[in-house]
Structure formats: C-alpha cells, structure tokens
Amino acid sequence: MMSEEQKETANRQDTVQRIQVGVVGLVAVLLLVSVANFVLQRASDEQSAIEEIQAEAADRSRELVQEVAPVPAPAPAEPLAELGITPAPVPEDEVVQPVPTVPGSRAQVVPDLEPDPKLEAPMDQER
C-alpha cells in the first residue's frame, strides 16, 4: 500500500499537471483567437482605428496647408545671379568704398598657399 507521503506527492504531481494543462490550453485558445482576429481584420475592407487616425491627420494637414498658402515670391530680376552663376549687381547703397592708404605704409602681403611638401598623401583621403 501507499504511504501518506506517497499519496500526498501523487496529489501534488496531479495538481501541477492539471495546472500545466490548463495554462497550455488557455495560451492555445488565446493564440487561436489572435490569429483568427488578425486574419479577419486583414480580410475586411473596413479601416482600422490607426488608419482612420492617419486619414484624419492627413486631412487636417491638407486644410492647414490650404489656409496658410505661401505667397508666391516675386520673380527675380537676375535669376542667374540668385543661383550664383553670374555676379549680381550691387545696389548703390551697398557699394564698399576702398580704404585709402597712407603713402609710405606697407600693405599686408599674404604668401601663396602651397601644400606642405612633407605631406605624403592628401589630407582628405585615408591611407
């Protein structure tokens, strides 16, 4: 015959096994319902809540863009000068007058910029 300890151990094992089966069954049902919900949602033509919110936001942004329509800028008189292709004429009020030099004063001389002959490779390239 079984002793009390063996009966108690058997009852515990039986209870643990029942709990494990119940939890596995519950997880399986939740997984099955989630997959079915996903499939049905993909198959339906209705918009999801996220798609509705995105559509509303797009409509609002279009309305705001229409309300705050940019004022067209006047056509440039010198389109090539604006692009930097040709020099633009300087307005008369912005003309810079040369600084008069005093006779006998020396002007600052900047030597020609040449690369250092000790450099083996250009600085913008890795070795």
Side-chain angles (χ1 to χ4, degrees):
M1 292 224 144
M2 293 179 126
S3 68
E4 286 292 321
E5 287 182 25
Q6 290 176 344
K7 287 182 184 178
E8 195 173 308
T9 307
N11 280 341
R12 283 186 191 159
Q13 289 176 349
D14 187 42
T15 303
V16 168
Q17 184 179 7
R18 287 176 185 238
I19 290 174
Q20 287 176 344
V21 169
V23 169
V24 168
L26 183 62
V27 169
V29 168
L30 286 173
L31 184 63
L32 181 67
V33 168
S34 297
V35 169
N37 185 27
F38 178 75
V39 169
L40 290 175
Q41 185 178 10
R42 285 292 186 190
S44 71
D45 291 336
E46 296 178 17
Q47 287 184 339
S48 66
I50 294 174
E51 291 171 340
E52 289 176 8
I53 292 171
Q54 289 174 342
E56 289 175 11
D59 290 341
R60 287 184 193 145
S61 66
R62 278 191 222 109
E63 291 172 2
L64 289 175
V65 167
Q66 290 174 357
E67 288 177 9
V68 186
V71 178
E78 296 285 333
L80 294 178
E82 277 196 13
L83 294 174
I85 297 173
T86 60
V90 179
E92 292 179 17
D93 57 343
E94 293 183 15
V95 174
V96 178
Q97 298 296 329
V99 177
T101 58
V102 178
S105 67
R106 295 185 333 169
Q108 184 178 7
V109 177
V110 178
D112 290 339
L113 297 176
E114 295 180 7
D116 188 5
K118 297 176 187 174
L119 291 177
E120 297 175 6
M123 294 175 65
D124 60 342
Q125 297 177 358
E126 293 188 26
R127 296 177 190 193

